[in-house]
Amino acid sequence: MKFEGTDAYVATDDLTMAVNAAVTLERPLLVKGEPGTGKTELARQVAAALGTRMIEWSIKSTTKAQQGLYEYDAVSRLRDSQLGDERVNDVKNYIRKGKLWEAFEADERVVLLIDEVDKADIEFPNDLLQELDRMDFYVYETGETIRARHRPIVIITSNNEKELPDAFLRRCFFHYIRFPEPDVLRKIVEVHHPGIKPALLTEALTQFYEIREQPGLKKKPSTSEVLDWLKLLLAEDLQPEDLKRDGADALPKLHGALLKNEQDVHLFERLAFMARRQGR
């Protein structure tokens, strides 16, 4: 089982190497990078390329590791016992399977995505160490041990919002998705917007990288945002000359697709104001 990218996902050589190394080592692949650089999409494309199913566990700030294994609904069981429901005689009726349980009992090898692990409490990664290592866990309420039928391909994403524990990092194969160079970004654009006019793409990407490199920018636009921006440019049938900016008009056309907070919009408005003053 080798991942080499797909028609819908441009994977660099180092990224494909990381995926295949993690699969060979039977270790979780920990993927970091800027938001919007395709970390989550990577898991979907790995599943598509390998012809298998993906199970997605989206992590929130309130997510606990136990929820990935199972949850015991004691409240419902108590209520049913008060109502004389016969379901209370079988505790399994009140066990809710989590995403790890679902991946472990799958009939085929699946891709398990643990998305944005850094959103959870700092103890969350450590609480999953044994389960991800041994590929089994114990259900205390039923007295059974759940073992993986086929070891899933585990992909874990992080936006680097907080540091992850060393013990967790030791058990992962790590890869950082760098922001793509212009030639790679062109290939990505071609996948999503085939046949885009070269002159328009050149002008748009030139402006895009200029915006990313602007000192003082709070949030740099990402790959997903430049794809949205290009979609709008194509929908408006804009030409390369329509994108030209001068000092008096520093904001790019349809800038709402690229600049996502008022501080960055004000930054470009100030640049335009300063350019107008200097031009007097």
Side-chain angles (χ1 to χ4, degrees):
M1 297 175 72
K2 287 286 185 180
F3 175 67
E4 297 178 350
T6 68
D7 293 339
Y9 190 88
V10 177
T12 57
D13 291 342
D14 57 342
L15 178 55
T16 56
M17 181 277 293
V19 172
N20 292 319
V23 172
T24 300
L25 292 173
E26 297 187 333
R27 296 280 192 181
L29 173 62
L30 174 61
V31 185
K32 290 187 178 183
E34 292 181 28
T37 50
K39 301 185 297 296
T40 302
E41 186 61 24
L42 170 66
R44 298 191 181 101
Q45 296 302 323
V46 169
L50 301 181
T52 189
R53 183 163 59 98
M54 188 189 85
I55 296 173
E56 182 173 354
W57 185 15
S58 297
I59 307 303
K60 302 178 181 178
S61 59
T62 56
T63 302
K64 302 299 181 185
Q66 180 64 33
Q67 294 172 305
L69 308 179
Y70 70 93
E71 292 182 278
Y72 170 52
D73 191 354
V75 174
S76 292
R77 193 181 190 194
L78 175 61
R79 184 189 64 239
D80 288 348
S81 67
Q82 293 170 339
L83 297 174
D85 194 322
E86 293 186 358
R87 295 176 71 249
V88 300
N89 296 320
D90 188 353
V91 68
K92 290 184 178 180
N93 291 324
Y94 303 93
I95 299 292
R96 298 177 181 173
K97 298 177 181 180
K99 297 296 184 180
L100 265 73
W101 190 330
E102 185 181 343
F104 284 6
E105 71 173 5
D107 291 329
E108 74 283 355
R109 192 179 199 183
V110 299
V111 172
L112 173 62
L113 169 63
I114 304 177
D115 202 21
E116 299 188 334
V117 68
D118 52 325
K119 280 187 174 180
D121 182 86
I122 189 63
E123 291 304 320
F124 176 89
N126 280 338
D127 290 343
L128 288 177
L129 289 180
Q130 178 173 308
E131 290 75 15
L132 292 178
D133 254 355
R134 295 172 49 181
M135 285 288 146
D136 65 29
F137 62 89
Y138 186 72
V139 182
Y140 292 94
E141 289 77 8
T142 63
E144 61 182 329
T145 297
I146 305 300
R147 292 187 175 86
R149 297 178 183 176
H150 305 276
R151 191 179 190 98
I153 299 169
V154 181
I155 297 178
I156 304 171
T157 71
S158 169
N159 287 329
N160 243 354
E161 292 184 8
K162 63 169 67 81
E163 289 296 322
L164 299 174
D166 288 346
F168 178 77
L169 295 175
R170 282 201 305 271
R171 289 165 170 81
C172 297
F173 190 94
F174 172 75
H175 181 74
Y176 183 85
I177 297 182
R178 295 179 176 84
F179 193 82
E181 296 294 328
D183 58 334
V184 176
L185 188 53
R186 280 179 175 272
K187 294 177 183 177
I188 294 173
V189 171
E190 274 292 338
V191 168
H192 293 269
H193 303 298
I196 187 171
K197 294 178 180 178
L200 177 64
L201 180 57
T202 297
E203 179 62 33
L205 291 188
T206 298
Q207 283 197 30
F208 174 71
Y209 279 101
E210 287 175 354
I211 292 169
R212 275 187 58 86
E213 295 166 7
Q214 176 62 47
L217 199 65
K218 183 176 181 181
K219 182 196 176 302
K220 295 181 178 181
S222 67
T223 308
S224 63
E225 287 160 341
V226 73
L227 292 174
D228 287 344
W229 186 49
L230 287 167
K231 183 177 180 179
L232 289 173
L233 299 182
L234 291 170
E236 294 292 327
D237 196 24
L238 297 180
Q239 302 303 312
E241 52 271 18
D242 297 326
L243 302 185
K244 296 290 185 182
R245 293 185 297 158
D246 54 37
D249 186 17
L251 281 170
K253 290 286 191 297
L254 301 166
H255 63 270
L258 298 175
L259 305 177
K260 296 302 178 70
N261 59 67
E262 64 275 17
Q263 294 96 318
D264 290 343
V265 173
H266 291 160
L267 170 63
F268 281 90
E269 289 176 340
R270 287 196 301 272
L271 292 173
F273 175 72
M274 293 168 59
R276 285 195 298 270
R277 291 190 63 181
Q278 292 173 358
R280 287 179 181 174

